[in-house]
Each structure stands twice: as structure tokens, then as C-alpha cells.
Amino acid sequence: MRAAQTRRGTPAARPGTGGEPSGDPLGALREDLLDELARTAAEEPDPLPRALDAVARYAAAAAGVRRVDVVAADAAGRAVVLAAAGDGPAVRTGERPLRRAGRPVGRLRWHGGTPRLLDDRAVGALEHHLAAAVDERTARQWAQRTATAGTQLFERAARAVGVEAAARVLAEVTGAVFATERSAVHLVDTGTRATHVLGVGLPADVQEALDRRVVGTTAADSPAWRLLSATREPALVDDARDVPLRPGGFIQTLGLRCFASIPLLAHDGLLGAVVCGDVTRTRAWSEHHRALARRFAVQGPGIVELARLRASEAAHVRELEHRAFHDALTGLPNRAALLRALEDTAAGGVALLLVDLDGFKRVNDTLGHAAGDELLRQVAGRLRGSAPAGATPARLGGDELALAVPGATLAAGVALAHRLHALLLEPYDVDGTTVRTGASVGVAAAPADAGGVPDLLRAADEAMYRAKRERTGPRTAPVARC
């Protein structure tokens, strides 16, 4: 900065005056400060402290002001002090708005000195620099906030499987970045019928009211929804009383006095909307809020659709796994599932029951294969119903079934086999025809009788064929020792 000027406002000598003080000391000081700001503007990563310090020095010299500060709206719309300069107490004696390109960006407040700081003509040039510095800092803060929100959104949404989980992430992140008191998401089907209404941190009675009043209703009946659908742009409403709303609808049930409604756009319409707002006050939304809302309107649908795709893929994987380890006709686990269960439990003890239906071929021959299939389904139901918790009932193929019971001894397996045998002998109603069939049950256990899974299977199979030959009920066979 040019020499000869101090914080007390002593004027500097102006160029071309031979070192003599200027006839306009305040003007000279103002010019010095403007020169200083112009030289350093391109070098300072944050020009606000330098600009406010310049204003403070000028205000001290011109009006005895001891402290100045700048306030601007934070993300929640509340006035916060961005920066302060001077050493006086915070006893405000005046303030004036700061504008850039006609937009309000904050307010300059001064403390001490005369109630009226300076006329607009005298201080306007300095305020221009100050307003630019405030606007730049606010823009940087919002850029950082937006980037952080985007990162949070994608990191959390990447772990969401299913539409509901992704929608909840959207509502949570939107409410946090907009610093609102409540947030929720409203998803619809192709007919705009509400399928999901998920709030974040709502009182239980409000969420219950949303479920009761909104889910199942047609969103197209709402004026707020029709506006989103027509403009395909976010709607940021300072005062909810100024716009038409559906009585008892989404926004009114949330109890919002101001709100931001962000459409989730799809190529053929809307997937839904994220809504956040405050219940205790109205609010003046900023251009930064509006820019962020537009960004969320672009990102949100992709997050929902990706979550829907992940859920579909997960369901497909589960279906493939189910098919790989289950019998298509009866729904019981198949041979592969039984072997896996035996491998997992044999070391800790397991009883294995093998079941072969007697007379099944006769049913197929006399009543047809459809009747045989129905009989197998009913047999499977009885086997499933008799299985203890943790047991694995299975169909091995044809009319052969099995039941693996972890932790059961041979004696417990035999007792269960007798109960199952009696149950399978009871008559079946197959398409209006009473059908009776027998059952041969063989039992083996491991590791009490030693041997691995192959030996266990051979022993149970041997016992089952013994029961089939003797026709006197369940039989056992020892497992070959290794």
C-alpha cells in the first residue's frame, strides 16, 4: 500500500502534488484504498478480509466508526457474520445493503461513530469491492457445499439397494444441504399414484398421516405436482400461503410454511419429488438454493433408477440361486442344497432321514402325471411341516425325499422318522380322489456313528431300502467308520 496513510486515516500525498497533502483527505484515502484493492484482488484467494479492512479504515477516518462487519444469509437463510474488522464493541449504529449486479448479497453494519456513515457517492466504490468479495466468498462456500452434497449423495446412494433406500438417501441429503427442518420424498408409478412417501426424522404422527393421506392417491390431482410436471423445474416457495396446495396433501401434511420441491425427472414424466422446508418460518430462497435444486433434479432420478436396477439385479441373482438349490416342482431344497447342509453340519452332529414313496408309480399310471405331481407337492408340504427349526427338507429326485436335522442324535432321528412315517401314510385328496401311499424311511446319524457325508448318505440309503423290503416302519443302518 502507498506510504503515509495509517489506520487513523492520515491522508497520503497524491501523485503529482510534490508530496503536499491533498485538499480532499478522505478522497485521497479512498483512492489509496481503491488502488490497494485493485492491486491485490487478483492475488488474494479470499478478498473479503482485505476489502472489509479497507472499508473499516475509511469508516474510522470519515465517521469515527470503530468496527464494521458483513452479514449474509447461510444455507438455512439465517443472517450470519461472514467477517469483521476493527477493534470496537459490537454496538451497531447503522447498516446498509450490499448489492452486486442488482442482487442483494449481504449487509454492511458499522458500530460506533456517527449514526449515518457516509453518503452513497463517497463510499459506493469501496462497497462495490466489498460486495464482490462477499459474493465470491458466498459462491465458494456454496460450491463447496454443493460438491460435498454431491459426493455424499453418490457415496450413500451407491450402497442403496431398492427404490425405497435410494429415496430415503435423497430426502436425507437434500434436507441436510438445504438446512431445512423437514424433508421427505414422494414416489409415484406410471399413473402418478403415490407408491412411497418417506420422511426423514418426522414425528411419528406426521409419518403416519403421510401414509394414510398420500400413499395411493393420484399425484396429478395436486396443484403443486401439476406445476412440477408442467415446468419440469424445481419450485422454491418462500411462503406456502402464496401458492395453491391440495388440502391435506403432501406439503400440508408435512406442515411446511416454506418449501423447495425438486422433481425427479424421467424421460416419460416424473418419478416423484423431493420436498424439504421449514415448519416454524417462511424463508427467502437464494439463487444458490435454486442452482442446487436444479442439480439435484438432474442427479436424483439417476440415483433412483440405479437403485431400482440394483434391486432388480439382486432379485435376479437370488432367483438364480434359488433355482440352483431348489426343486422346481415342490419348492423344496434339492440334492445340491442337501449336500451343502450336510457338509456344514456333519461335524457337529446331524441325523439324516431318506424317504421313498411306495406306490407312487401306481398313482402316475392310474391318475396321470399331473396327479402324481400334485401328490408330490402334498407330500413335500407334510415333510416341510414336520421339519424342526433349522432342518433341511429336500427332494432328491423322482419320489425320493430327505430330511437333514442338525444336532439330532440317531435316537432323535428315529423318533422323528416314526412321526413322519405315520403322517405320510394318511390319505391325500388329489383332484377330488382319495389317494393312499406308503413310505419307506431310513435313518442314519453322524458323527456318532463316524464317517463323512458320503458314508452317511450310503448308510441312510441302506436303511431306507431295508425299510422298503421289510415294510415294518423306519429302519437304521450304521455309518461305516473311516
Side-chain angles (χ1 to χ4, degrees):
M1 187 181 125
R2 297 184 183 184
Q5 176 268 317
T6 70
R7 283 184 177 272
R8 294 184 181 86
T10 302
R14 303 303 299 153
T17 63
E20 295 297 325
S22 167
D24 180 8
L26 289 178
L29 173 60
R30 186 172 66 251
E31 293 302 320
D32 277 342
L33 294 175
L34 288 171
D35 287 347
E36 176 186 344
L37 292 175
R39 288 196 309 274
T40 59
E43 303 171 1
E44 294 282 353
D46 181 6
L48 180 57
R50 181 66 64 91
L52 188 59
D53 182 65
V55 172
R57 281 183 271 164
Y58 187 72
V65 172
R66 298 186 59 189
R67 170 190 169 99
V68 294
D69 55 41
V70 169
V71 297
D74 64 5
R78 296 183 173 87
V80 295
V81 176
L82 287 187
D87 56 5
V91 180
R92 188 177 3 156
T93 54
E95 70 173 35
R96 58 199 294 164
L98 294 173
R99 296 180 178 276
R100 190 181 192 191
R103 293 182 295 106
V105 297
R107 300 189 72 80
L108 170 66
R109 293 175 176 173
W110 58 92
H111 309 268
T114 59
R116 176 177 170 277
L117 176 59
L118 298 164
D119 62 58
D120 291 339
R121 182 177 58 81
V123 78
L126 286 174
E127 283 187 347
H128 170 77
H129 281 275
L130 183 59
V134 170
D135 198 28
E136 290 171 17
R137 176 181 284 191
T138 302
R140 280 196 302 274
Q141 290 175 341
W142 269 99
Q144 180 61 45
R145 189 176 187 87
T146 301
T148 301
T151 300
Q152 290 178 347
L153 190 60
F154 280 104
E155 285 181 349
R156 294 184 57 192
R159 300 190 294 269
V161 177
V163 172
E164 184 171 341
R168 194 174 296 279
V169 168
L170 270 173
E172 289 175 355
V173 175
T174 302
V177 74
F178 280 77
T180 55
E181 296 167 353
R182 289 182 179 175
S183 61
V185 65
H186 178 212
L187 299 179
V188 301
D189 60 17
T190 54
T192 77
R193 184 181 61 87
T195 58
H196 298 78
V197 180
L198 306 169
V200 177
L202 300 181
D205 61 327
V206 175
Q207 182 63 61
E208 187 276 332
L210 286 173
D211 294 337
R212 186 179 68 254
R213 298 177 186 174
V214 180
V215 173
T217 62
T218 301
D221 294 337
S222 164
W225 179 272
R226 289 196 296 270
L227 176 64
L228 286 184
S229 183
T231 64
R232 300 176 72 84
E233 288 285 337
L236 281 71
V237 177
D238 296 348
D239 191 331
R241 293 171 298 184
D242 295 337
V243 295
L245 299 173
R246 178 163 59 182
F250 187 36
I251 293 170
Q252 284 196 351
T253 302
L254 282 170
L256 301 181
R257 293 182 60 190
C258 64
F259 64 89
S261 182
I262 303 171
L264 301 176
L265 304 172
H267 69 281
D268 56 351
L270 299 186
L271 297 173
V274 181
V275 174
C276 62
D278 298 328
V279 298
T280 60
R281 62 182 181 137
T282 59
R283 178 195 290 213
W285 299 102
S286 70
E287 287 302 315
H288 298 293
H289 286 111
R290 298 180 191 281
L292 184 59
R294 287 191 290 270
R295 179 168 178 170
F296 272 38
V298 173
Q299 294 175 339
I303 288 169
V304 172
E305 289 293 355
L306 284 175
R308 181 174 286 156
L309 179 60
R310 283 194 294 270
S312 177
E313 290 175 344
H316 182 60
V317 170
R318 289 193 299 270
E319 175 63 22
L320 291 177
E321 183 176 4
H322 186 273
R323 291 181 183 180
F325 291 98
H326 286 78
D327 173 58
L329 176 64
T330 64
L332 290 176
N334 59 15
R335 181 181 292 273
L338 177 70
L339 292 175
R340 186 169 63 174
L342 291 175
E343 291 287 352
D344 292 342
T345 59
V350 61
L352 175 62
L353 287 64
L354 288 186
V355 180
D356 188 82
L357 296 181
D358 299 327
F360 177 72
K361 184 176 183 301
R362 183 182 70 251
V363 175
N364 265 345
D365 291 344
T366 58
L367 299 180
H369 288 286
D373 289 347
E374 175 60 23
L375 175 61
L376 283 174
R377 283 190 285 265
Q378 292 189 32
V379 169
R382 294 186 186 185
L383 177 65
R384 187 184 290 111
S386 65
T392 301
R395 182 190 179 200
L396 306 185
D399 59 352
E400 189 174 357
L401 301 100
L403 182 61
V405 188
T409 63
L410 181 61
V414 170
L416 178 58
H418 280 284
R419 293 195 297 273
L420 178 60
H421 181 261
L423 182 62
L424 295 179
L425 291 181
E426 293 181 5
Y428 301 86
D429 182 353
V430 178
D431 296 332
T433 300
T434 299
V435 174
R436 296 179 182 274
T437 183
S440 300
V441 185
V443 187
D449 294 323
V453 171
D455 293 329
L456 178 66
L457 286 166
R458 281 193 291 269
D461 196 55
E462 178 185 334
M464 185 266 290
Y465 277 106
R466 181 183 169 194
K468 185 175 286 289
R469 289 193 304 270
E470 297 179 0
R471 296 184 180 277
T472 55
R475 288 291 180 265
T476 65
V479 180
R481 293 185 176 275
C482 298

